């Protein structure tokens, strides 16, 4: 297929595809799916080999968020039966992180619900970062605390944070459809603050919220423009008790096309399969490793994930290897560019980022009316509520975590 040959060539040169090419990836048929995966795999292996980076989430503060993000089980007014608790103590968070590190995680992502941290919250997280790093030699720490105020990114970096996650989630054109309590511009500003402070910027998307193909392409292009080191691709988990509980728009094939599009647009950037992979990719998870070079190990913020031992077995069975703490995730040219921009040190490998409501893209198409007659049939997916399990173990509980 000429399209895929062109995209591979561009990916190996770090050349940006056109929007039309990115849209065409999302419009490919199931008959062409393995060709799409193979093409994206060539780009992935060129920049990242067969390494898979493992990341581990620790939910420092769960639920009771004043924001109204419609995809999120922790939102204002959510009736989802999730765990709700206030800040973990630094030693509690460190113990939770240690379980993930013992399971092979290279990076620990410290996440807290809320609009954004107060200065006291930043002090609290700084103590937690110190505790995690003291107990787990060589571990990278990414913070995800919401919208940042001036100076807070610098304080987090000074405390030892390597990265900051704040997802754009969807396109600027549709952002107001999912959230009213803050703006798309607010999110862009926080990513820019993190980047300017020398933190590795991590920012991703949520697919499956009813957006069109154009929205998926727009947000991934925006993420490349922001120069994020890591792009987590979340697939919407339709929690009962949230406004998007009935949004079951995805198939495993659709998810693979979305991941492939992200890889072609962001060839040398860490592409992470984030929240919702078990719900929507299901048995095709191993195939997705040919496109993405990073996953979360074990559970997510408020939902349970695949058993950690099964994640490790999946990676090995698919012929990949877990990335070690002595290996650098990003290609050297990105490490060098980040160091030069800051005038010191090496850049943190990449960001974290999973929003619990992550999900795979809808059936929207990017073709014109004239093209529609020849386009593949739109994806549809049955509701798999049996695969959505609320987290009842790990941080905030007395039960052992899944790692």
């Amino acid at each position: 297929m000429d399209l895929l040959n062109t995209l591979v060539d561009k990916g190996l040169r770090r050349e940006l595809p056109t929007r039309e090419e990115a849209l065409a990836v999302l419009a490919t048929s199931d008959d062409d799916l393995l060709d799409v995966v193979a093409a994206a795999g060539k780009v992935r292996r060129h920049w990242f080999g067969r390494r898979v980076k493992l990341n581990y989430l620790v939910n420092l503060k769960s639920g009771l968020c004043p924001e109204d993000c419609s995809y999120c089980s922790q939102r204002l007014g959510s009736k989802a039966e999730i765990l709700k608790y206030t800040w973990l103590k630094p030693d509690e968070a460190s113990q939770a992180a240690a379980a993930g590190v013992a399971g092979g995680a290279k990076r620990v992502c410290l996440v807290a619900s809320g609009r954004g941290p107060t200065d006291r919250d930043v002090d609290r997280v700084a103590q937690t970062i110190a505790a995690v790093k003291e107990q787990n030699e060589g571990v990278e720490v990414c913070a995800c605390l919401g919208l940042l105020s001036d100076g807070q990114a610098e304080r987090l970096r000074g405390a030892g944070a390597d990265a900051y996650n704040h997802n754009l989630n969807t396109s600027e054109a549709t952002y107001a459809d999912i959230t009213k309590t803050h703006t798309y511009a607010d999110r862009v500003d926080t990513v820019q603050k993190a980047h300017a402070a020398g933190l590795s910027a991590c920012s991703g998307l949520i697919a499956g919220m009813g957006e069109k193909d154009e929205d998926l392409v727009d947000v991934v292009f925006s993420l490349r423009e922001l120069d994020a080191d890591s792009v987590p691709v979340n697939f919407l988990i339709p929690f009962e008790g949230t406004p998007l509980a009935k949004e079951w728009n995805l198939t495993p094939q659709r998810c693979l096309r979305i991941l492939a599009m992200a890889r072609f647009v962001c060839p040398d950037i860490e592409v992470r399969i984030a929240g919702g992979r078990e719900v929507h990719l299901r048995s095709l998870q191993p195939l997705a490793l040919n496109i993405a070079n990073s996953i979360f190990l074990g559970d997510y913020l408020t939902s349970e994930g695949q058993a950690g031992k099964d994640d490790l077995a999946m990676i090995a069975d698919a012929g990949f290897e877990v990335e070690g703490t002595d290996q650098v995730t990003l290609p050297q040219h990105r490490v060098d560019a980040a160091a030069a921009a800051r005038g010191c040190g090496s850049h943190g490998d990449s960001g974290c980022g999973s929003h619990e409501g992550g999900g795979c893209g809808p059936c929207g198409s990017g073709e014109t009316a004239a093209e529609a007659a020849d386009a593949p049939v739109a994806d549809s997916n049955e509701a798999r509520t049996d695969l959505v399990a609320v987290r009842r173990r790990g941080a905030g509980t007395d039960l052992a975590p899944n790692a």
Side-chain angles (χ1 to χ4, degrees):
M1 185 184 292
D2 289 343
L3 167 67
L4 297 179
N5 291 332
T6 297
L7 289 170
V8 170
D9 289 343
K10 286 186 174 184
L12 300 185
R13 298 195 304 265
R14 292 186 285 142
E15 182 179 337
L16 183 67
T18 65
R19 290 187 79 260
E20 290 72 21
E21 289 167 341
L23 286 166
V25 173
L26 297 179
T28 53
S29 71
D30 287 350
D31 288 341
D32 294 324
L33 183 62
L34 289 181
D35 292 333
V36 172
V37 172
K42 290 180 181 179
V43 178
R44 179 248 201 268
R45 289 191 300 276
H46 178 81
W47 296 111
F48 300 98
R50 301 193 69 83
R51 305 187 314 275
V52 177
K53 182 174 182 177
L54 297 182
N55 309 268
Y56 190 69
L57 285 162
V58 177
N59 196 352
L60 298 178
K61 181 167 70 79
S62 182
L64 308 175
C65 182
E67 301 299 287
D68 70 350
C69 306
S70 55
Y71 50 81
C72 186
S73 61
Q74 304 184 77
R75 72 187 297 272
L76 178 69
S78 171
K79 293 180 173 57
E81 298 293 330
I82 62 168
L83 291 170
K84 298 181 179 67
Y85 53 86
T86 190
W87 290 94
L88 297 181
K89 295 178 181 178
D91 62 326
E92 293 173 327
S94 181
Q95 290 174 15
V101 175
K106 179 178 179 178
R107 171 158 291 183
V108 171
C109 306
L110 302 175
V111 187
S113 63
R115 178 178 177 84
T118 64
D119 287 341
R120 181 183 178 186
D121 292 336
V122 172
D123 290 338
R124 192 193 322 260
V125 174
Q127 295 175 26
T128 300
I129 293 170
V132 169
K133 291 210 162 189
E134 181 178 357
Q135 184 175 345
N136 304 281
E137 184 177 357
V139 71
E140 300 170 356
V141 175
C142 178
C144 178
L145 311 173
L147 300 172
L148 293 175
S149 301
D150 290 344
Q152 290 183 330
E154 288 79 5
R155 290 174 60 196
L156 288 167
R157 183 175 178 232
D162 300 286
Y164 195 83
N165 164 253
H166 199 62
N167 296 330
L168 296 187
N169 292 327
T170 192
S171 70
E172 183 174 13
T174 59
Y175 195 83
D177 295 336
I178 64 167
T179 304
K180 303 296 185 186
T181 49
H182 61 266
T183 67
Y184 179 89
D186 291 332
R187 287 189 170 264
V188 170
D189 178 67
T190 285
V191 176
Q192 291 173 333
K193 281 184 168 70
H195 208 292
L199 292 167
S200 178
C202 169
S203 189
L205 64 141
I206 302 172
M209 298 188 291
E211 71 281 348
K212 296 180 180 179
D213 280 7
E214 290 90 342
D215 298 310
L216 291 169
V217 170
D218 285 349
V219 68
V220 175
F221 270 58
S222 295
L223 292 167
R224 171 155 171 165
E225 185 177 352
L226 281 172
D227 198 27
D229 286 327
S230 174
V231 173
V233 179
N234 292 281
F235 303 122
L236 178 71
I237 303 176
F239 272 95
E240 288 297 328
T242 65
L244 298 184
K246 305 303 180 186
E247 293 287 337
W248 289 88
N249 302 307
L250 302 170
T251 64
Q253 296 86 352
R254 173 71 172 175
C255 295
L256 289 171
R257 281 191 280 271
I258 292 168
L259 287 168
M261 184 271 288
R263 172 56 71 203
F264 291 130
V265 177
C266 304
D268 59 338
I269 294 171
E270 178 185 349
V271 174
R272 180 175 309 136
I273 318 171
R277 67 176 163 93
E278 299 87 348
V279 177
H280 295 291
L281 279 165
R282 301 193 287 274
S283 62
L284 296 193
Q285 290 181 69
L287 199 56
L289 294 176
N290 289 278
I291 304 171
N293 63 296
S294 179
I295 65 171
F296 282 104
L297 176 72
D299 292 336
Y300 301 97
L301 298 177
T302 63
S303 68
E304 291 187 355
Q306 184 167 276
K309 62 180 179 60
D310 292 338
D311 286 336
L312 297 176
M314 174 182 73
I315 291 168
D317 289 348
F320 293 89
E321 62 182 26
V322 173
E323 184 173 288
T325 56
D326 60 336
Q327 295 175 297
V328 177
T329 301
L330 294 174
Q332 193 61 43
H333 66 268
R334 289 193 64 84
V335 176
D336 293 342
R342 293 203 318 271
C344 63
S346 66
H347 207 8
D349 273 347
S350 61
C352 75
S354 165
H355 227 305
E356 206 49 55
C360 250
C363 320
S365 64
E367 77 271 11
T368 65
E371 296 167 318
D374 297 323
V377 177
D379 294 329
S380 61
N381 197 16
E382 63 179 15
R384 288 297 305 271
T385 56
D386 59 306
L387 296 178
V388 180
V390 174
R391 180 174 68 84
R392 301 294 185 200
R393 59 196 175 194
T397 77
D398 294 328
L399 299 178
N402 173 25

